[in-house]
Amino acid sequence: MRNGLFIVLEGVEGAGKSTQASLLSAWFESLGLPHTVAREPGGTPVGEAIRRVVLDRGDLTMPPETELFLILGARAAFVRDVVRPALEDGQVVLADRFDLSTFAYQGYGRGLDLDRVRRANEMATGGVRPDLYLVLDLPVEAGLERKGGVGGGDRIEREGASFLSRVREGYRTLVKEVPTARLVAAHGSPAEVQDSLRRILQEDFPETFSVKGFSKRGTGSRSP
Ligand code: T5A
């Protein structure tokens, strides 16, 4: 039984997800909406430990399958310990990345078979699906520029521009296939992007994001 709303921010490195998550959280606060904000991989103690391995800043290497299962391992705990309880409590859950990242990075980026990635992901999520994905779209170079340019960074950032271009194209393809995903231009100022996100949320969930505040919702899971 779930009554809350599950919203996910997605996009390439530096697209502005964390910035927008903070701004949305402040907006939810002003609307009096009970909410939980978390990031992936992470969101739980074991998830944060896995994050340190996946986003290693040293010389750690691993096969793409190992990366996939580490991320899915973190997700299983995230869904069980954070997402499900918050949704059952009627809250808005705002996640900085979720399974569209896995399809874009491990599927399109690493080249793992997408159907197999989807099946493995289903085991990690136990069928919990976001109500809406807000996919921030920005040219890879612009995102890297915002983060201080190419070079350095964690294991995944070090893959460089051509890997991240496949990821971006993956997102753009996924948005066409997933009915609950919306592509949002992310090249404007933080305030402009925030306006776009709020407009989408108010259009898609007028009862929840009106100034009147929160009204608990029924099950709204639609499949990616
Ligand atoms: N990963 C994750 C997978 O491979 N598979 C998976 O399934 C999952 C869940 C996560 C990594 O894990 C990978 C993908 C990632 O590589 P992370 O550090 O959380 O690692 O990386 P990101 O989620 O990409 O976070 P980033 O910090 O890189 O990017 P954000 O959150 O999109 O951007 P943000 O808000 O931190 O902004 C970056 C900079 O840009 C500025 C900010 O002030 C900041 O300096 N900025 C703007 N500047 C101008 N205009 C705007 N509109 C701006 N918005 C933000």
Side-chain angles (χ1 to χ4, degrees):
M1 178 68 182
R2 50 174 283 191
N3 293 314
L5 192 63
F6 187 12
I7 310 288
V8 176
L9 286 163
E10 290 276 5
V12 291
E13 322 289 304
K17 298 171 298 299
S18 310
T19 302
Q20 294 304 324
S22 300
L23 294 170
L24 283 176
S25 177
W27 184 47
F28 296 168
E29 199 72 48
S30 73
L31 293 175
L33 297 180
H35 64 282
T36 295
V37 183
R39 66 177 180 184
E40 267 222 309
T44 64
V46 70
E48 290 296 326
I50 290 172
R51 180 185 177 90
R52 287 193 286 279
V53 175
V54 172
L55 302 184
D56 178 69
R57 289 182 169 265
D59 55 6
L60 187 69
T61 60
M62 66 182 77
E65 290 81 0
T66 303
E67 181 179 275
L68 170 71
F69 285 111
L70 284 169
I71 287 167
L72 295 184
R75 181 161 305 142
F78 178 59
V79 170
R80 197 191 68 166
D81 297 343
V82 177
V83 178
R84 263 189 203 281
L87 291 177
E88 284 167 8
D89 189 41
Q91 296 184 35
V92 176
V93 176
L94 179 61
D96 186 340
R97 297 190 180 277
F98 194 62
D99 53 7
L100 230 50
S101 286
T102 317
F103 307 146
Y105 281 77
Q106 281 65 51
Y108 287 91
R110 297 288 190 210
L112 293 177
D113 180 80
L114 259 179
D115 286 336
R116 296 175 79 185
V117 171
R118 283 196 173 100
R119 284 200 297 276
N121 177 63
E122 189 78 9
M123 186 179 279
T125 63
V128 170
R129 288 169 179 157
D131 294 285
L132 182 67
Y133 298 94
L134 296 161
V135 181
L136 301 184
D137 185 50
L138 190 71
V140 165
E141 296 72 18
L144 291 173
E145 187 67 27
R146 283 182 183 176
K147 296 195 67 177
V150 190
D154 60 48
R155 263 186 67 255
I156 294 182
E157 286 165 8
R158 286 201 307 273
E159 288 296 326
S162 69
F163 171 83
L164 293 175
S165 294
R166 292 199 297 280
V167 171
R168 184 192 183 201
E169 285 316 306
Y171 273 124
R172 293 170 71 90
T173 304
L174 288 161
V175 164
K176 292 182 192 141
E177 297 170 356
V178 177
T180 48
R182 303 277 294 267
L183 198 71
V184 181
H187 51 260
S189 69
E192 286 167 337
V193 178
Q194 180 69 189
D195 280 350
S196 305
L197 299 182
R198 291 185 187 186
R199 218 171 11 254
I200 292 170
L201 289 172
Q202 285 176 320
E203 277 168 16
D204 285 8
F205 307 104
E207 289 168 26
T208 302
F209 296 105
S210 72
V211 281
K212 289 186 205 119
F214 192 57
S215 75
K216 287 191 174 184
R217 296 167 39 80
T219 305
S221 61
R222 285 162 283 179
S223 57

Short mmCIF file of all heavy atoms in Angstrom, two decimals, residues 125-149:
data_model
loop_
_atom_site.label_atom_id
_atom_site.label_comp_id
_atom_site.label_asym_id
_atom_site.label_seq_id
_atom_site.Cartn_x
_atom_site.Cartn_y
_atom_site.Cartn_z
N THR A 125 14.27 -3.27 -7.08
CA THR A 125 13.21 -2.31 -6.70
C THR A 125 11.99 -3.01 -6.12
O THR A 125 11.14 -2.36 -5.52
CB THR A 125 12.73 -1.50 -7.93
OG1 THR A 125 12.15 -2.40 -8.88
CG2 THR A 125 13.87 -0.72 -8.57
N GLY A 126 11.88 -4.33 -6.36
CA GLY A 126 10.68 -5.04 -5.91
C GLY A 126 9.43 -4.47 -6.55
O GLY A 126 8.34 -4.55 -5.98
N GLY A 127 9.58 -3.87 -7.71
CA GLY A 127 8.42 -3.36 -8.44
C GLY A 127 8.02 -1.93 -8.07
O GLY A 127 7.05 -1.39 -8.61
N VAL A 128 8.75 -1.28 -7.15
CA VAL A 128 8.45 0.12 -6.83
C VAL A 128 8.92 1.00 -7.98
O VAL A 128 10.08 0.92 -8.40
CB VAL A 128 9.14 0.55 -5.51
CG1 VAL A 128 9.04 2.06 -5.31
CG2 VAL A 128 8.52 -0.18 -4.33
N ARG A 129 8.01 1.80 -8.50
CA ARG A 129 8.35 2.62 -9.66
C ARG A 129 8.02 4.08 -9.40
O ARG A 129 6.98 4.39 -8.81
CB ARG A 129 7.57 2.14 -10.89
CG ARG A 129 8.10 0.82 -11.38
CD ARG A 129 7.21 0.20 -12.40
NE ARG A 129 7.79 -1.07 -12.83
CZ ARG A 129 7.11 -2.06 -13.38
NH1 ARG A 129 5.81 -1.92 -13.57
NH2 ARG A 129 7.72 -3.16 -13.73
N PRO A 130 8.89 4.97 -9.89
CA PRO A 130 8.61 6.40 -9.72
C PRO A 130 7.33 6.81 -10.43
O PRO A 130 6.95 6.24 -11.46
CB PRO A 130 9.83 7.07 -10.36
CG PRO A 130 10.92 6.05 -10.27
CD PRO A 130 10.22 4.74 -10.48
N ASP A 131 6.67 7.82 -9.88
CA ASP A 131 5.51 8.41 -10.55
C ASP A 131 5.96 9.33 -11.67
O ASP A 131 5.25 9.53 -12.64
CB ASP A 131 4.68 9.20 -9.54
CG ASP A 131 4.06 8.28 -8.50
OD1 ASP A 131 3.09 7.58 -8.83
OD2 ASP A 131 4.58 8.21 -7.37
N LEU A 132 7.15 9.93 -11.50
CA LEU A 132 7.65 10.87 -12.51
C LEU A 132 9.17 10.94 -12.46
O LEU A 132 9.76 11.02 -11.38
CB LEU A 132 7.07 12.28 -12.20
CG LEU A 132 7.43 13.39 -13.18
CD1 LEU A 132 6.80 13.16 -14.55
CD2 LEU A 132 6.98 14.75 -12.63
N TYR A 133 9.77 10.92 -13.66
CA TYR A 133 11.21 11.19 -13.81
C TYR A 133 11.34 12.55 -14.47
O TYR A 133 10.78 12.78 -15.55
CB TYR A 133 11.87 10.19 -14.74
CG TYR A 133 11.86 8.74 -14.34
CD1 TYR A 133 10.85 7.90 -14.79
CD2 TYR A 133 12.88 8.19 -13.56
CE1 TYR A 133 10.86 6.54 -14.46
CE2 TYR A 133 12.89 6.84 -13.23
CZ TYR A 133 11.87 6.02 -13.69
OH TYR A 133 11.86 4.68 -13.38
N LEU A 134 12.11 13.44 -13.85
CA LEU A 134 12.42 14.74 -14.46
C LEU A 134 13.87 14.64 -14.95
O LEU A 134 14.80 14.62 -14.14
CB LEU A 134 12.26 15.85 -13.41
CG LEU A 134 10.82 16.03 -12.90
CD1 LEU A 134 10.81 16.80 -11.58
CD2 LEU A 134 9.97 16.74 -13.95
N VAL A 135 14.03 14.55 -16.26
CA VAL A 135 15.36 14.31 -16.83
C VAL A 135 15.95 15.63 -17.30
O VAL A 135 15.49 16.23 -18.28
CB VAL A 135 15.29 13.31 -18.00
CG1 VAL A 135 16.68 13.05 -18.56
CG2 VAL A 135 14.64 12.00 -17.55
N LEU A 136 16.96 16.12 -16.57
CA LEU A 136 17.59 17.40 -16.91
C LEU A 136 18.55 17.16 -18.07
O LEU A 136 19.50 16.37 -17.96
CB LEU A 136 18.34 17.95 -15.70
CG LEU A 136 17.50 18.20 -14.45
CD1 LEU A 136 18.34 18.85 -13.36
CD2 LEU A 136 16.28 19.05 -14.76
N ASP A 137 18.30 17.86 -19.16
CA ASP A 137 19.10 17.63 -20.38
C ASP A 137 20.05 18.78 -20.65
O ASP A 137 19.63 19.95 -20.68
CB ASP A 137 18.15 17.45 -21.57
CG ASP A 137 18.93 17.07 -22.82
OD1 ASP A 137 19.75 16.13 -22.75
OD2 ASP A 137 18.74 17.74 -23.86
N LEU A 138 21.32 18.45 -20.79
CA LEU A 138 22.36 19.45 -21.00
C LEU A 138 23.46 18.80 -21.83
O LEU A 138 23.79 17.63 -21.60
CB LEU A 138 22.93 19.85 -19.62
CG LEU A 138 23.87 21.04 -19.56
CD1 LEU A 138 23.09 22.35 -19.79
CD2 LEU A 138 24.57 21.09 -18.20
N PRO A 139 24.08 19.55 -22.78
CA PRO A 139 25.23 18.96 -23.48
C PRO A 139 26.30 18.54 -22.47
O PRO A 139 26.53 19.23 -21.47
CB PRO A 139 25.73 20.11 -24.36
CG PRO A 139 24.54 20.98 -24.55
CD PRO A 139 23.74 20.88 -23.28
N VAL A 140 26.91 17.40 -22.74
CA VAL A 140 27.89 16.82 -21.82
C VAL A 140 28.99 17.83 -21.46
O VAL A 140 29.37 17.98 -20.30
CB VAL A 140 28.49 15.56 -22.47
CG1 VAL A 140 29.75 15.10 -21.76
CG2 VAL A 140 27.44 14.45 -22.48
N GLU A 141 29.47 18.54 -22.49
CA GLU A 141 30.58 19.48 -22.26
C GLU A 141 30.16 20.58 -21.28
O GLU A 141 30.95 21.00 -20.43
CB GLU A 141 31.03 20.13 -23.59
CG GLU A 141 31.62 19.17 -24.60
CD GLU A 141 30.59 18.24 -25.25
OE1 GLU A 141 29.37 18.55 -25.19
OE2 GLU A 141 30.99 17.19 -25.80
N ALA A 142 28.90 21.03 -21.40
CA ALA A 142 28.42 22.09 -20.50
C ALA A 142 28.35 21.58 -19.06
O ALA A 142 28.72 22.29 -18.11
CB ALA A 142 27.05 22.58 -20.96
N GLY A 143 27.92 20.32 -18.90
CA GLY A 143 27.85 19.74 -17.56
C GLY A 143 29.23 19.60 -16.95
O GLY A 143 29.45 19.92 -15.77
N LEU A 144 30.19 19.13 -17.76
CA LEU A 144 31.56 18.95 -17.25
C LEU A 144 32.18 20.30 -16.93
O LEU A 144 32.92 20.45 -15.95
CB LEU A 144 32.40 18.19 -18.29
CG LEU A 144 32.03 16.71 -18.48
CD1 LEU A 144 32.81 16.10 -19.64
CD2 LEU A 144 32.28 15.92 -17.19
N GLU A 145 31.87 21.27 -17.78
CA GLU A 145 32.37 22.64 -17.55
C GLU A 145 31.90 23.16 -16.20
O GLU A 145 32.66 23.72 -15.41
CB GLU A 145 31.86 23.54 -18.69
CG GLU A 145 32.40 24.95 -18.70
CD GLU A 145 33.89 24.98 -19.02
OE1 GLU A 145 34.41 24.08 -19.71
OE2 GLU A 145 34.53 25.93 -18.55
N ARG A 146 30.60 22.93 -15.90
CA ARG A 146 30.06 23.37 -14.62
C ARG A 146 30.80 22.72 -13.45
O ARG A 146 30.93 23.29 -12.38
CB ARG A 146 28.58 22.99 -14.51
CG ARG A 146 27.64 23.89 -15.29
CD ARG A 146 26.21 23.42 -15.06
NE ARG A 146 25.27 24.20 -15.85
CZ ARG A 146 23.97 23.94 -15.91
NH1 ARG A 146 23.47 22.93 -15.22
NH2 ARG A 146 23.16 24.68 -16.63
N LYS A 147 31.29 21.49 -13.70
CA LYS A 147 31.97 20.77 -12.63
C LYS A 147 33.48 20.98 -12.65
O LYS A 147 34.23 20.25 -12.01
CB LYS A 147 31.65 19.28 -12.74
CG LYS A 147 30.18 18.99 -12.51
CD LYS A 147 29.93 17.54 -12.26
CE LYS A 147 30.54 17.12 -10.94
NZ LYS A 147 30.27 15.72 -10.62
N GLY A 148 33.93 21.93 -13.47
CA GLY A 148 35.35 22.26 -13.47
C GLY A 148 36.15 21.62 -14.59
O GLY A 148 37.37 21.56 -14.52
N GLY A 149 35.45 21.09 -15.61
CA GLY A 149 36.13 20.56 -16.79
C GLY A 149 36.46 19.08 -16.71
O GLY A 149 36.25 18.44 -15.68
#
